[in-house]
């Protein structure tokens, strides 16, 4: 049986590779058809401009192949999109398509097969630039760029129309091809493969189009190609900075993901809880009108609020019977453990205080320091509400989750003593506006649901030791062992 399944998987993999290879060859053939007119005798191709632009594309790509620069160089064609769009404005469509090919064929790729990826990128960009240049020519863009003489000034603002339209077509064709190769290579539905590609890329491509227009105008002016380089250089540097920012942001997310996975592995009863607390915290923050930068940090706080459980002995976290007073004191140390774990992670900012104080209560009966009222940091007051809300609405192996309205009513009842009323009201408004969809926890997957019963009802039908135990009336969820969650 295993051999049969393995053979079936191998056949499917070969079929997918074959389909992807055929699609890449089709796009490459389309690119060849796009550039052929420029290579015919008597085509009038402006080889000097074509050579300069192609050489600049190569210069933008080659640092990525250098060991000294390595991954600090923006990966892929995005680093010279302004240059490709400038080529679309300055050259006839077949010549503009040629500009993209040499740089794409020598550019750095991170995953095998390198040859297929380079051919794909060259074909994709050639077709895309050809389409953008064709639209720009159709709308009279080349005539609107002006020329070197004083009588041939650029036709502004009309020149913006063909340039922006060409950038829009550039974005549409590029994202359509990106989504199509995903659909073919991974057998994704087209709607899913294309989902989000255009909205994410349209804005940057329009900015690149404006930079390309500026380059083209300067190139045609009396200042010549050298002046156009002054546009390219800051654009390339800004792309490099942007790539560095995204690389650093990806490293932050990877760090947080690793910490959350470690907590989920150690305390399987609350698997998925951290991510949901992060989502609920964002919901509250948006209703409070927080700045986007703070919302992102608050999301980190919600996701990492229980990271201190890594310092709690596993036998205590997974104990089935009631906890002793000593064991409860050990568990109540987890906010301080969490604060120590993240103390050196600079990008967390205010999140560190939320991790330390998310079990404080407004009336001073919380822990670890018994802070009261506004002495509790704002992020901690947000995470406390989000934490209790998810704990009450999540189905666990020892009891079903409460309905969302019942959990909100419990939070409102405890507002002013345990929870900040402002945060409770913000969560209620956010839930009314956006609703709530809690992902299934690992515990639910272990409980079979007979036909005719929903998961929330049946989740409490385990062993006597894991029989349903509803959340405590103070809104703090407690497990079958009576320990706080």
């Amino acid at each position: 049986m295993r051999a049969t399944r393995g053979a079936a998987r191998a056949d499917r993999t070969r079929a997918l590779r074959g389909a992807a290879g055929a699609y890449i060859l089709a796009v490459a053939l389309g690119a060849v058809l796009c550039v052929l007119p420029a290579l015919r005798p008597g085509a009038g191709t402006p080889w000097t401009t074509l050579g300069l632009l192609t050489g600049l594309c190569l210069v933008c790509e080659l640092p990525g192949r250098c060991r000294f620069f390595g991954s600090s160089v923006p990966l892929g064609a995005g680093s010279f999109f302004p240059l490709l769009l400038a080529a679309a404005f300055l050259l006839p469509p077949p010549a503009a398509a040629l500009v993209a090919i040499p740089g794409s064929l020598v550019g750095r790729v991170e995953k095998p097969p390198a040859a297929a990826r380079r051919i794909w990128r060259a074909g994709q960009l050639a077709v895309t630039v050809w389409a953008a240049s064709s639209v720009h020519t159709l709308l009279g863009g080349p005539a609107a760029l002006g020329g070197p003489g004083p009588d041939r000034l650029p036709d502004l603002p009309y020149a913006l129309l063909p340039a922006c339209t060409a950038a829009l077509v550039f974005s549409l064709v590029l994202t359509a091809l990106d989504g199509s190769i995903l659909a073919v290579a991974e057998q994704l539905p087209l709607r899913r493969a294309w989902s989000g590609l255009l909205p994410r890329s349209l804005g940057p491509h329009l900015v690149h189009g404006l930079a390309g227009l500026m380059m083209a105008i300067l190139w045609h002016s009396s200042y010549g190609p050298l002046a156009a380089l002054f546009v390219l250089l800051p654009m390339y540097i800004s792309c490099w900075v942007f790539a560095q920012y995204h690389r650093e942001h990806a490293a932050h997310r990877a760090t947080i993901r690793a910490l959350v996975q470690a907590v989920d592995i150690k305390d399987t009863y609350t698997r998925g809880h951290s991510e949901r607390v992060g989502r609920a915290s964002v919901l509250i923050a948006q209703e409070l009108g927080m700045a986007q930068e703070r919302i992102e940090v608050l999301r980190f706080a919600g996701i990492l609020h229980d990271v201190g459980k890594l310092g709690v002995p596993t036998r205590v976290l997974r104990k089935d019977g009631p906890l002793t007073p000593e064991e409860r004191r050990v568990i109540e140390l987890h906010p301080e453990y969490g604060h120590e774990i993240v103390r050196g992670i600079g990008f967390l900012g205010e999140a560190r205080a939320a991790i330390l104080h998310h079990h404080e209560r407004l009336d001073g009966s919380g822990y670890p320091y018994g802070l009261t009222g506004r002495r509790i940091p704002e992020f901690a007051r947000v995470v406390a509400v989000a934490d209790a809300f998810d704990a009450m609405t999540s189905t666990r192996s020892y009891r079903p989750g409460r309905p969302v309205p019942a959990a909100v009513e419990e939070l409102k009842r405890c507002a002013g003593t345990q929870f900040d009323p402002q945060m409770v009201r913000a969560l209620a408004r956010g839930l009314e506006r956006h609703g709530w969809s809690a992902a299934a926890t690992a515990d639910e997957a272990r409980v079979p649901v007979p036909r005719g019963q929903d998961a929330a009802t049946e989740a409490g039908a385990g062993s006597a030791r894991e029989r349903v135990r509803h959340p405590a009336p103070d809104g703090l969820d407690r497990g079958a062992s009576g320990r706080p969650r």
Side-chain angles (χ1 to χ4, degrees):
M1 181 66 72
R2 288 182 181 177
T4 304
R5 286 199 297 265
R9 281 197 297 269
D11 290 342
R12 182 174 178 272
T13 301
R14 281 194 293 269
L16 289 176
R17 286 178 179 172
Y23 187 72
I24 290 171
L25 286 177
V27 173
L29 179 60
V32 170
L33 295 176
C34 288
V35 303
L36 271 179
L39 303 176
R40 290 174 182 166
T45 300
W47 289 106
T48 301
T49 302
L50 174 61
L52 285 172
L53 290 170
T54 304
L56 286 173
C57 284
L58 282 168
V59 168
C60 288
E61 278 287 357
L62 287 176
R65 303 289 299 274
C66 176
R67 289 186 178 182
F68 178 75
F69 293 103
S71 60
S72 66
V73 175
L75 179 64
S79 57
F80 58 85
F81 277 172
L83 191 53
L84 292 182
L85 284 160
F89 303 153
L90 287 166
L91 296 169
L98 265 174
V99 171
I101 294 176
S104 301
L105 291 176
V106 304
R108 177 167 61 98
V109 293
E110 290 188 331
K111 296 179 181 178
R117 290 179 183 274
R118 290 193 177 106
I119 292 171
W120 162 252
R121 191 168 66 178
Q124 176 193 34
L125 289 177
V127 171
T128 301
V129 174
W130 179 88
S133 182
S134 298
V135 170
H136 186 260
T137 303
L138 186 65
L139 295 176
L145 294 177
D151 298 330
R152 297 190 59 193
L153 295 175
D155 185 7
L156 294 173
Y158 177 76
L160 292 170
L161 175 62
C164 290
T165 307
L168 174 61
V169 170
F170 183 94
S171 189
L172 284 169
V173 175
L174 191 67
T175 54
L177 291 172
D178 275 335
S180 299
I181 191 65
L182 282 175
V184 172
E186 300 182 16
Q187 283 195 334
L188 293 176
L190 277 176
R191 185 174 180 181
R192 181 180 170 191
W194 284 332
S195 177
L197 288 178
L198 184 61
R200 286 197 301 268
S201 61
L202 184 57
H205 289 161
L206 287 174
V207 173
H208 293 157
L210 293 176
L213 175 63
M214 192 181 304
M215 284 186 66
I217 289 174
L218 288 172
W219 195 290
H220 268 317
S221 72
S222 57
Y223 298 104
L226 187 61
L229 292 179
F230 288 102
V231 177
L232 176 65
L233 184 61
M235 281 298 297
Y236 189 84
I237 292 173
S238 66
C239 286
W240 178 82
V241 172
F242 196 62
Q244 291 295 93
Y245 166 77
H246 275 281
R247 191 172 290 110
E248 182 179 351
H249 202 61
H252 293 171
R253 290 196 299 269
T255 300
I256 288 171
R257 190 162 51 247
L259 289 171
V260 170
Q261 286 174 344
V263 175
D264 285 349
I265 289 170
K266 185 161 187 175
D267 188 8
T268 54
Y269 281 112
T270 57
R271 184 163 296 173
H273 170 66
S274 300
E275 293 287 348
R276 294 193 297 272
V277 172
R279 280 200 289 126
S281 299
V282 168
L283 207 61
I284 296 171
Q286 289 172 338
E287 292 299 320
L288 295 175
M290 285 188 186
Q292 190 58 44
E293 295 80 8
R294 295 191 75 211
I295 291 177
E296 181 69 3
V297 175
L298 180 56
R299 186 176 73 87
F300 291 158
I303 291 173
L304 292 176
H305 73 285
D306 273 343
V307 70
K309 286 183 177 179
L310 293 174
V312 177
T314 304
R315 61 176 178 78
V316 177
L317 286 176
R318 298 187 180 183
K319 184 177 179 181
D320 291 320
L323 295 177
T324 66
E326 179 60 31
E327 288 168 337
R328 283 190 60 85
R329 283 193 291 272
V330 169
I331 281 189
E332 289 178 358
L333 288 173
H334 80 268
E336 294 177 275
Y337 291 154
H339 186 257
E340 286 300 314
I341 289 171
V342 303
R343 180 191 293 274
I345 305 178
F347 68 85
L348 288 178
E350 292 180 82
R352 294 193 291 267
I355 292 168
L356 178 61
H357 296 295
H358 71 277
H359 278 299
E360 305 283 5
R361 300 188 181 193
L362 258 64
D363 60 7
S365 62
Y367 62 89
Y369 299 128
L371 301 183
T372 59
R374 295 287 171 172
R375 294 180 61 198
I376 304 172
E378 182 183 26
F379 276 22
R381 285 179 272 133
V382 171
V383 172
V385 171
D387 184 23
F389 169 75
D390 182 71
M392 286 189 287
T393 56
S394 296
T395 293
R396 305 278 171 79
S397 58
Y398 47 81
R399 58 106 178 109
R402 286 188 180 186
V404 168
V408 171
E409 285 304 313
E410 181 68 18
L411 291 172
K412 288 179 178 178
R413 189 181 71 80
C414 299
T417 55
Q418 181 173 351
F419 306 114
D420 186 329
Q422 182 186 15
M423 309 309 174
V424 174
R425 289 193 297 268
L427 177 62
R429 290 196 304 270
L431 292 171
E432 288 177 6
R433 194 189 309 269
H434 302 289
W436 181 255
S437 176
T441 63
D443 298 51
E444 294 171 19
R446 295 199 297 266
V447 182
V449 181
R451 186 169 300 182
Q453 288 186 282
D454 59 42
T457 302
E458 186 59 28
S463 65
R465 191 171 51 195
E466 292 185 336
R467 206 70 177 172
V468 174
R469 183 182 180 98
H470 289 284
D474 62 357
L476 179 63
D477 181 39
R478 300 176 189 276
S481 61
R483 57 179 178 269
R485 290 295 182 194

